[in-house]
Amino acid sequence: MEHKRITVFCGHYGSGKTNIAVNYALQLRKTHDKVAIIDLDIVNPYFRTKDSEDELRQAGVELICSDYAGSNLDIPALPAAMMRPLAERDTQCVMDIGGDDRGAVALGRFADQIKAENDCQMLFVLNFFRPLTGTPEEALCVMREIEAACGLRFTGIVNNSNLGPATTPRDVLATAERTARLCELSSLPLVMTTVWEALAGDPALRNEPVFPLRLQRKPV
Amino acid sequence: MSEKVLMKGNEAIAEAAIRAGCRHYFGYPITPQTEVAAYMAKRMPKIGGCFLQAESEIAAINMVYGVASAGKRVMTSSSSPGISLKSEGLSYLAGSDLPAFVVNVQRGGPGLGGIQPSQSDYFQSTKGGGHGDYRMIVLAPASVQEMASLTIKGFDLADKYRMTAMILADGTMGQMMEPVELGDVEVKDYDKSWAVTGTKCARPHNIVNSLFLEPEELEKNNFARYERYKAVEENEVLFESYLMDDAEICVVAFGISARVSKNAINEARKQGIKVGMIRPITLWPFPKAPLLAAAGHCHTFLSVEMNMGQMIEDIELAIRCKRPVRLVNRVGGMIPSPEQVLLAIQDADKGGKAS
């Protein structure tokens, strides 16, 4: 997979962005000294990178998120500290953006800086089993809405199609055709197919660019 | 054709409502139910429906009153503090015998409370909230699939009995994602000859109103309304009975508490404890008969709730205080753990026979 210093994950609400961003940051840390994950979610107060705080800290990944994430205070807020890793050229940045165009508005604040860096990939996370992005055409529509909201263009697609813990390799493969169609419509490459790690070695998926995911669960 | 999709509970409610023929949604955003409104905002304009974000909860519920008067399927959704604001409107809907569908995805209270899940609006939804003698049909889903199916059921019951049906979910149910199968919904035809749709000079005026100048007339209306409530109590009770046949301990829980309890019950069964569960699906009408029957063979009841003990009173009434009912609870946005429920079951098993 092509690597860029800044990786941005955007997509439809509930498509799996946070889970993928955390796993991707942990993976990056294995090959890079300085990795930061930046939580820009201003839409949903639940299911945040903050839920994986302990694991990220132990792995040596810096977590930058709102002080209010995971608390009882439902206030969209971005800490000033977000600017630093973006400016530090020796830091690998993983950016987790809130869902849909509404969430991507927060990314717009950093668009000029990210463009100026010219070392960024912006990936569209997609789950074809989610409502409102069931077809390539609907997904393309969401992509364009996000691009318009943040002022940045996507560079690749992440197929994260799943039905939760009940997902089978067959379910994932059932979306291959639609993914190919979206790649064609958007002229963008499929960068990875993300699957739960228990399915990653399944021979049925041998032709997919599989990226295994460990599920990040909120501790209860 | 029914397709499998991965949905949040809130989204499942919105999609099910659209399939049930609802084309009018009025609301005001509040966590943790905002996805209902967000979904409606995306979908309604595409299917010729109306999504309107009102200036307040009070405005939204009165818009619901307006559309309901015209005989169309209509809904609003909110979370606890927002439902308090809507309560005046709920009373007016009841006083005017209007069918409406309302969703409460509860958060911790009282007051502004917090945004974590809760079940502390049990009293508010089953005993009133608004003023006057009235009831609402209260449905308590325990899965994302039930968020959808009980929404469809709610619209039907509302139309059938000309009253408000409410989904009483908690933040967990609204936010959790599960695979759901959504099929086409057959929208039944209910008599709405009372609706205010224009006389076209061909019939007498219909009047939708909750003000009665003569007390005798107001009393007559209240009596008639309670005849309908009686029919609801006789015909519409829903509950799930889990491992109750040989049970000596009966857990009573709804929503997310019931799911947690089921895990605890399965573990207790492995240890040889005869425990089962009655899960009320309608909180009003409350499943009194199966609970009273369970009092014949259960020595202890456990009420697992995310509040300070609200449903426990209905259990005690249902079983006529024949057996002890113990409260197992967490509040403030906390969820009971299976271990907490299991401990309570083990404790009831040890001491229960003596008590």
Side-chain angles (χ1 to χ4, degrees):
Chain A
M1 191 192 322
E2 193 189 8
H3 174 66
K4 300 281 188 186
R5 187 173 78 78
I6 301 169
T7 301
V8 183
F9 291 103
C10 289
H12 177 44
Y13 189 68
S15 58
K17 298 173 293 295
T18 300
N19 207 345
I20 292 168
V22 168
N23 276 273
Y24 190 78
L26 291 169
Q27 184 65 30
L28 267 185
R29 181 63 186 83
K30 290 177 186 167
T31 48
H32 294 81
D33 281 345
K34 291 176 80 174
V35 177
I37 184 165
I38 308 174
D39 180 345
L40 265 88
D41 195 341
I42 54 161
V43 176
N44 194 336
Y46 311 106
F47 314 112
R48 302 287 292 262
T49 50
K50 177 104 174 162
D51 300 336
S52 306
E53 193 174 17
D54 291 345
E55 192 179 354
L56 289 165
R57 192 191 300 117
Q58 278 161 23
V61 174
E62 186 185 8
L63 168 64
I64 300 178
C65 69
S66 163
D67 290 343
Y68 308 120
S71 81
N72 252 341
L73 195 56
D74 185 9
I75 287 184
L78 302 175
M82 286 181 175
M83 301 302 280
R84 183 179 40 76
L86 284 175
E88 284 176 353
R89 294 234 161 104
D90 62 342
T91 303
Q92 309 302 309
C93 299
V94 178
M95 302 179 80
D96 177 28
I97 315 300
D100 292 330
D101 46 347
R102 286 164 296 150
V105 167
L107 180 59
R109 167 71 180 77
F110 303 94
D112 286 342
Q113 196 180 346
I114 289 171
K115 272 188 219 160
E117 284 292 307
N118 195 26
D119 190 7
C120 167
Q121 55 178 345
M122 183 158 115
L123 304 178
F124 180 65
V125 178
L126 171 65
N127 180 355
F128 276 119
F129 293 107
R130 290 279 294 144
L132 309 182
T133 56
T135 67
E137 290 74 19
E138 285 177 321
L140 187 70
C141 180
V142 173
M143 286 178 84
R144 296 296 181 241
E145 286 169 359
I146 291 172
E147 288 177 337
C150 69
L152 290 166
R153 300 298 298 266
F154 281 108
T155 61
I157 290 161
V158 176
N159 181 14
N160 185 47
S161 295
N162 74 87
L163 283 162
T167 314
T168 65
R170 214 186 147 97
D171 295 325
V172 179
L173 285 177
T175 63
E177 206 173 302
R178 277 178 278 174
T179 307
R181 176 72 185 139
L182 180 63
C183 290
E184 197 181 299
L185 288 173
S186 63
S187 305
L188 293 176
L190 171 65
V191 174
M192 51 183 163
T193 301
T194 43
V195 295
W196 181 35
E197 60 183 353
L199 304 180
D202 196 288
L205 298 172
R206 64 186 173 278
N207 292 328
E208 294 288 318
V210 166
F211 183 89
L213 295 179
R214 203 136 38 82
L215 296 183
Q216 306 295 314
R217 284 184 193 280
K218 186 171 176 140
V220 175
Chain B
M1 200 191 80
S2 87
E3 72 280 32
K4 222 176 216 181
V5 282
L6 186 66
M7 287 188 125
K8 284 199 169 213
N10 287 335
E11 296 166 337
I13 285 176
E15 181 58 34
I18 288 170
R19 290 183 191 219
C22 175
R23 291 294 177 274
H24 296 84
Y25 174 94
F26 306 102
Y28 187 83
I30 181 170
T31 306
Q33 68 73 55
T34 301
E35 291 85 359
V36 181
Y39 194 92
M40 289 301 195
K42 290 247 184 217
R43 286 274 280 136
M44 280 299 197
K46 290 182 183 158
I47 54 171
C50 169
F51 164 84
L52 197 147
Q53 181 173 320
E55 69 268 35
S56 71
E57 284 86 350
I58 296 169
I61 193 71
N62 283 293
M63 291 172 186
V64 168
Y65 185 100
V67 172
S69 302
K72 295 291 181 191
R73 286 195 161 179
V74 57
M75 71 176 285
T76 187
S77 60
S78 194
S79 180
S80 310
I83 295 294
S84 293
L85 286 165
K86 284 172 179 163
S87 292
E88 181 196 54
L90 293 174
S91 168
Y92 278 66
L93 283 163
S96 305
D97 298 313
L98 289 172
F101 181 70
V102 177
V103 176
N104 181 2
V105 184
Q106 301 159 90
R107 53 191 256 176
L112 206 45
I115 60 169
Q116 301 301 330
S118 160
Q119 297 180 324
S120 53
D121 302 345
Y122 180 94
F123 279 159
Q124 186 193 43
S125 57
T126 62
K127 312 291 177 199
H131 57 279
D133 280 315
Y134 80 96
R135 290 289 192 182
M136 296 188 295
I137 293 165
V138 184
L139 303 154
S143 67
V144 176
Q145 187 73 53
E146 274 191 358
M147 290 286 256
S149 61
L150 291 179
T151 291
I152 294 159
K153 179 101 191 158
F155 274 105
D156 278 332
L157 291 174
D159 276 349
K160 187 174 174 187
Y161 294 100
R162 289 181 65 178
M163 57 191 292
T164 295
M166 175 182 274
I167 291 266
L168 189 73
D170 59 76
T172 327
M173 281 296 133
Q175 293 294 325
M176 72 191 295
M177 273 192 192
E178 284 180 329
V180 186
E181 279 190 58
L182 293 162
D184 290 331
V185 177
E186 187 200 348
V187 181
K188 290 173 206 149
D189 220 8
Y190 291 93
D191 170 40
K192 292 196 174 172
S193 55
W194 47 264
V196 185
T197 52
T199 65
K200 299 184 182 70
C201 300
R203 61 162 169 81
H205 291 284
N206 283 340
I207 297 172
V208 172
N209 178 35
S210 66
L211 173 67
F212 296 90
L213 298 181
E214 302 297 334
E216 292 85 355
E217 201 190 349
L218 180 54
E219 183 188 53
K220 205 179 102 203
N221 267 280
N222 274 290
F223 283 156
R225 192 168 300 124
Y226 268 71
E227 283 303 310
R228 269 186 293 127
Y229 292 168
K230 209 172 124 194
V232 174
E233 287 192 278
E234 280 164 10
N235 303 320
E236 308 298 348
V237 173
L238 291 172
F239 64 97
E240 180 197 353
S241 184
Y242 183 68
L243 304 178
M244 279 304 294
D245 286 352
D246 63 342
E248 293 170 359
I249 299 165
C250 176
V251 173
V252 189
F254 64 97
I256 188 68
S257 302
R259 286 173 71 126
V260 170
S261 297
K262 211 172 236 185
N263 288 336
I265 289 165
N266 291 340
E267 191 53 41
R269 280 274 169 179
K270 281 185 207 158
Q271 299 171 12
I273 303 173
K274 289 184 174 169
V275 55
M277 175 167 67
I278 290 174
R279 171 171 78 92
I281 298 172
T282 50
L283 299 179
W284 194 88
F286 196 66
K288 294 177 193 169
L291 284 166
L292 185 58
H297 54 91
C298 292
H299 57 71
T300 307
F301 287 70
L302 299 175
S303 184
V304 185
E305 307 183 64
M306 282 149 60
N307 57 52
M308 290 307 293
Q310 299 188 13
M311 180 176 65
I312 194 169
E313 296 182 7
D314 281 340
I315 302 168
E316 284 169 338
L317 281 172
I319 65 169
R320 296 174 195 160
C321 297
K322 284 181 179 175
R323 307 287 181 187
V325 190
R326 297 179 183 179
L327 180 63
V328 184
N329 69 332
R330 292 297 299 270
V331 297
M334 303 302 292
I335 304 171
S337 66
E339 293 74 26
Q340 182 190 358
V341 180
L342 179 61
L343 274 174
I345 292 171
Q346 288 166 334
D347 194 46
D349 185 53
K350 273 180 227 143
K353 278 154 190 136
S355 65

